[in-house]
Amino acid sequence: MSFTSGAALRQYVAKVEDSNWQLQDENRLQCTLSHSLPSYGTAMFTSFASKQLNMEFELDMLRLPKTYGMAAVYSVPPKWMPGQVQRAIADMTIRKQYNGDLPEQAAWTMLSELEKGFWPTIYYQDWYNRYDRISVGLNASNFAQPYAQFAECVANLLPFSFEDIAYTVLTYQFNSTVLTKYSQKRLTMIGEYLKEDTDLELILLDGYTDSYGSRSVNKQISIRRATEIKDFFSSMGVSPERIDVTGHGERRHISPNTNDSTRTKNRRVVIRMSKP
């Protein structure tokens, strides 16, 4: 990585006594560990509810980049670690009018280096002054306790995301409003999610039945099934005005009605959820 010859280095880093790490967004959907960078912005490590463990780093800048470029990220030993050398962590792409960010592997490396007392530091050519280069350091002081809380939060994240449950098909036992065991598990998953996030824009519930029985009875069964799901969502804190119920009865079959095993697929409530 090259800089303008003779460029001055402007450094942004919190003083040891002012190094502030905080756990934010502490819930089962998202965990964020933030670090204040005086006169520069905020560094953030974030993990989200998902099937897979994940981590990302974001450098929230008060002044967004004016040009495209590259930054180099190093693990730098503080002055009280004599004999230690800095180590390269990753290159960060600088995008015009966007915050800086790094993917999972680099983010985890930065966290582990902080845990050892090193200071992850980002270097790049200043896009506002061609005579300067910039150094942005993450001070490892006061890191241990907030990081322990952050690690506990990450371990408690839900093992699925909104996208995993946004479209769900629940199926029912024969001539009943009782869900199959698999669908009961799916509904429990959705309930766990709604306990953490009730800010849904709309939930559409479409109830269906097989062709066994009269059409009028099947119509009422399909409405009752969908209404019971609506009541469940309402008990989780979702506003009833955001839940739309439609009963289709034995219309729109997705499987033949020739035997009970195939009819099972037609006895269903389709859940479609959307967020702002």
Side-chain angles (χ1 to χ4, degrees):
M1 186 175 186
S2 63
F3 296 102
T4 303
S5 177
L9 181 65
R10 291 210 320 272
Q11 296 177 298
Y12 295 93
V13 62
K15 296 179 180 178
V16 171
E17 61 272 20
D18 298 326
S19 179
N20 183 26
W21 290 90
Q22 288 187 329
L23 177 61
Q24 299 177 339
D25 303 322
E26 184 181 2
N27 54 57
R28 300 195 69 195
L29 302 179
Q30 177 178 333
C31 305
T32 299
L33 181 64
S34 68
H35 178 61
S36 298
L37 299 165
S39 301
Y40 187 90
T42 306
M44 297 181 293
F45 295 91
T46 303
S47 184
F48 299 93
S50 176
K51 292 179 180 178
Q52 301 293 330
L53 182 62
N54 60 88
M55 187 68 62
E56 64 181 39
F57 171 78
E58 181 178 1
L59 190 61
D60 188 2
M61 309 172 187
L62 295 177
R63 293 185 300 171
L64 292 174
K66 190 177 180 180
T67 61
Y68 294 91
M70 293 294 294
V73 186
Y74 286 86
S75 175
V76 178
K79 59 185 178 182
W80 52 84
M81 287 186 178
Q84 297 288 343
V85 297
Q86 68 177 22
R87 297 186 295 272
I89 294 178
D91 290 327
M92 175 189 290
T93 301
I94 295 175
R95 296 166 295 163
K96 186 176 180 179
Q97 294 300 308
Y98 281 91
N99 286 327
D101 58 73
L102 287 169
E104 181 176 11
Q105 184 61 55
W108 279 117
T109 301
M110 293 172 74
L111 285 170
S112 63
E113 292 299 295
L114 282 161
E115 193 174 17
K116 293 186 291 186
F118 288 82
W119 295 17
T121 304
I122 302 159
Y123 299 95
Y124 60 87
Q125 179 68 49
D126 189 5
W127 43 80
Y128 289 101
N129 185 344
R130 65 189 181 94
Y131 298 113
D132 286 358
R133 54 181 180 146
I134 305 297
S135 163
V136 183
L138 277 59
N139 192 326
S141 302
N142 307 317
F143 174 77
Q145 184 175 354
Y147 181 55
Q149 296 171 343
F150 176 67
E152 184 176 348
C153 180
V154 171
N156 197 42
L157 287 170
L158 291 175
F160 53 86
S161 65
F162 174 75
E163 288 71 23
D164 294 324
I165 60 171
Y167 181 87
T168 297
V169 179
L170 304 178
T171 55
Y172 290 80
Q173 299 177 22
F174 175 67
N175 196 28
S176 170
T177 57
V178 178
L179 292 168
T180 60
K181 289 184 178 180
Y182 173 79
S183 293
Q184 289 176 25
K185 292 180 180 179
R186 290 288 300 180
L187 192 59
T188 298
M189 287 174 58
I190 297 174
E192 289 179 351
Y193 183 89
L194 294 179
K195 287 178 184 178
E196 304 295 334
D197 182 9
T198 58
D199 186 25
L200 297 177
E201 187 174 44
L202 182 65
I203 300 178
L204 300 178
L205 301 176
D206 291 281
Y208 303 88
T209 68
D210 58 27
S211 60
Y212 186 86
S214 68
R215 291 195 175 189
S216 61
V217 170
N218 286 339
K219 176 79 170 181
Q220 292 305 312
I221 290 175
S222 67
I223 294 174
R224 188 164 73 249
R225 286 171 175 166
T227 300
E228 287 187 357
I229 302 302
K230 176 180 179 176
D231 293 341
F232 173 78
F233 287 161
S234 297
S235 71
M236 293 292 107
V238 181
S239 172
E241 288 75 22
R242 296 185 177 183
I243 307 174
D244 184 65
V245 169
T246 304
H248 300 275
E250 57 187 66
R251 297 171 57 205
R252 303 179 186 175
H253 290 153
I254 59 172
S255 178
N257 281 282
T258 53
N259 56 65
D260 188 56
S261 62
T262 57
R263 284 197 297 266
T264 298
K265 296 180 180 179
N266 294 325
R267 299 191 297 267
R268 68 197 191 279
V269 168
V270 177
I271 302 171
R272 290 173 289 164
M273 298 188 289
S274 61
K275 297 184 67 174

